[in-house]
Amino acid sequence: MSSEASAMVQPSGAPLHLFSDYHTHPQGHRVQKYTQGLLQPWADSARKAGLKDIAFTDHDRYHAGIDFDEIDRLRERNPDLRIRAGIELDNDPVHSAAGRKWVEQNWDKLDFVLGSVHFLDRADQMFDSVPDGAVQFEGRNIDAIYADYFRRVRDMAATGLVDCLAHLDLIKIHGHRSSAEVASLVNETLEFIQARNLAIELSTAGWRKPVNELYPSNSIIELAMEKEIPFTTASDAHSHVQLGENFSSLSDKISDLSIREICIFEKHRRVPQPLQL
Ligand SMILES: [Zn+2]
Ligand SMILES: [Zn+2]
């Protein structure tokens, strides 16, 4: 074994240090103008959690609150952190047209765009609302819902406006399971993501939802690794105290699955980062 190869081997049991959180919502679920008062607690919490690199990815329907000058000021005030300007673009039938336009107009100021599917065939309710969204699965063919969901994920990947897909198997959120027949569709979706040269995230948010699992599942992560699709690490924090939530469990998972690097983004340029002990 070359010295380079041996350096890649992690001793078992040693925790990997995760240093980036690329899915955060400073505004929560309403428009709140970016100010130092809103953003500085996120920098403080990031530092406390041992994070060096965070991306703000508020929902596109709240894009009116995002202020790039305030992000610049925050960067100046916190030179020890890398703070990325981002957004989570979804398939909201009401708001996403305006969101896409905003992303196009501000592409050069953004470091990172997440793509998400939160809506199925109901325009008035995100299927991932807990617990209300579970009603969209009642009495329905779960395989058909999964197929519909993954088609929508591909549509989002095809927009050309995203760097990374968020919570790739969010459709499992309420604990509904597809049959094995949907596996080929998942594989096709990953092939599509690979062809588009996009990343996917490892999101601890699933651990605080009814399904109580990482997004995505081990089998999807393993398929993605075979296809050399890169990963970001993410909490989907809606409060600064959730930054890096459950990252020690995520670190264990990453070790178990032998993931050797995760990626960060700067002005949409993906930079692989080897994971350190
Ligand atoms: Zn989301
Ligand atoms: Zn989110």
Side-chain angles (χ1 to χ4, degrees):
M1 191 183 282
S2 72
S3 60
E4 199 182 11
S6 64
M8 300 286 284
V9 176
Q10 306 290 354
S12 61
L16 294 163
H17 179 62
L18 303 181
F19 54 86
S20 59
D21 190 337
Y22 267 50
H23 193 152
T24 71
H25 294 277
Q27 299 185 79
H29 278 298
R30 63 197 163 102
V31 172
Q32 297 189 72
K33 273 273 175 207
Y34 278 17
T35 60
Q36 297 310 296
L38 182 75
L39 300 179
Q40 183 60 44
W42 290 77
D44 296 340
S45 289
R47 197 172 288 116
K48 222 189 274 177
L51 299 169
K52 295 267 176 237
D53 196 323
I54 58 171
F56 294 142
T57 56
D58 270 306
H59 292 289
D60 66 273
R61 71 187 66 87
Y62 310 128
H63 65 78
I66 297 171
D67 183 329
F68 293 102
D69 293 337
E70 287 295 321
I71 296 175
D72 280 342
R73 281 185 60 202
L74 188 73
R75 288 168 172 149
E76 283 162 22
R77 289 160 52 120
N78 298 274
D80 56 322
L81 301 175
R82 309 307 301 266
I83 298 166
R84 315 298 185 178
I87 193 158
E88 179 178 6
L89 184 64
D90 77 3
N91 67 331
D92 183 331
V94 177
H95 296 100
S96 70
R100 286 176 195 207
K101 198 168 165 204
W102 186 90
V103 169
E104 284 169 353
Q105 285 169 343
N106 292 283
W107 184 256
D108 292 344
K109 294 181 194 154
L110 288 162
D111 293 295
F112 182 64
V113 182
L114 276 174
S116 300
V117 172
H118 297 127
F119 291 86
L120 298 173
D121 54 12
R122 265 185 67 169
D124 62 330
Q125 184 190 60
M126 293 162 79
F127 74 81
D128 62 315
S129 316
V130 175
D132 298 359
V135 74
Q136 295 188 38
F137 296 72
E138 279 172 19
R140 302 280 302 275
N141 178 320
I142 300 304
D143 279 7
I145 291 185
Y146 266 68
D148 179 33
Y149 170 81
F150 280 104
R151 265 183 230 114
R152 291 172 192 264
V153 170
R154 270 185 291 180
D155 289 347
M156 180 53 66
T159 60
L161 293 175
V162 303
D163 300 298
C164 178
L165 278 309
H167 41 60
L168 196 71
D169 60 354
L170 183 68
I171 196 70
K172 72 183 178 185
I173 184 167
H174 303 290
H176 302 87
R177 299 295 177 179
S178 63
S179 75
E181 281 166 45
V182 178
S184 64
L185 193 61
V186 172
N187 191 48
E188 281 168 33
T189 305
L190 286 171
E191 276 171 9
F192 194 82
I193 289 167
Q194 177 196 37
R196 291 268 166 175
N197 195 22
L198 303 176
I200 65 173
E201 67 174 19
L202 303 175
S203 168
T204 61
W207 276 322
R208 57 174 188 265
K209 297 297 161 90
V211 70
N212 193 22
E213 271 183 20
L214 188 78
Y215 301 129
S217 65
N218 284 4
S219 59
I220 293 178
I221 294 172
E222 284 164 356
L223 262 179
M225 288 173 74
E226 280 171 27
K227 298 180 198 309
E228 299 185 352
I229 293 170
F231 302 107
T232 62
T233 47
S235 68
D236 208 345
H238 280 67
S239 152
H240 65 87
V241 297
Q242 286 177 326
L243 266 175
E245 189 177 69
N246 286 319
F247 268 27
S248 59
S249 302
L250 179 57
S251 168
D252 292 345
K253 174 83 86 175
I254 284 173
S255 295
D256 291 347
L257 292 166
S258 302
I259 295 168
R260 301 292 187 225
E261 63 181 36
I262 56 100
C263 62
I264 57 165
F265 285 81
E266 184 159 3
K267 292 278 185 269
H268 310 285
R269 188 172 63 88
R270 188 172 73 220
V271 186
Q273 302 280 306
L275 289 167
Q276 311 284 342
L277 290 177

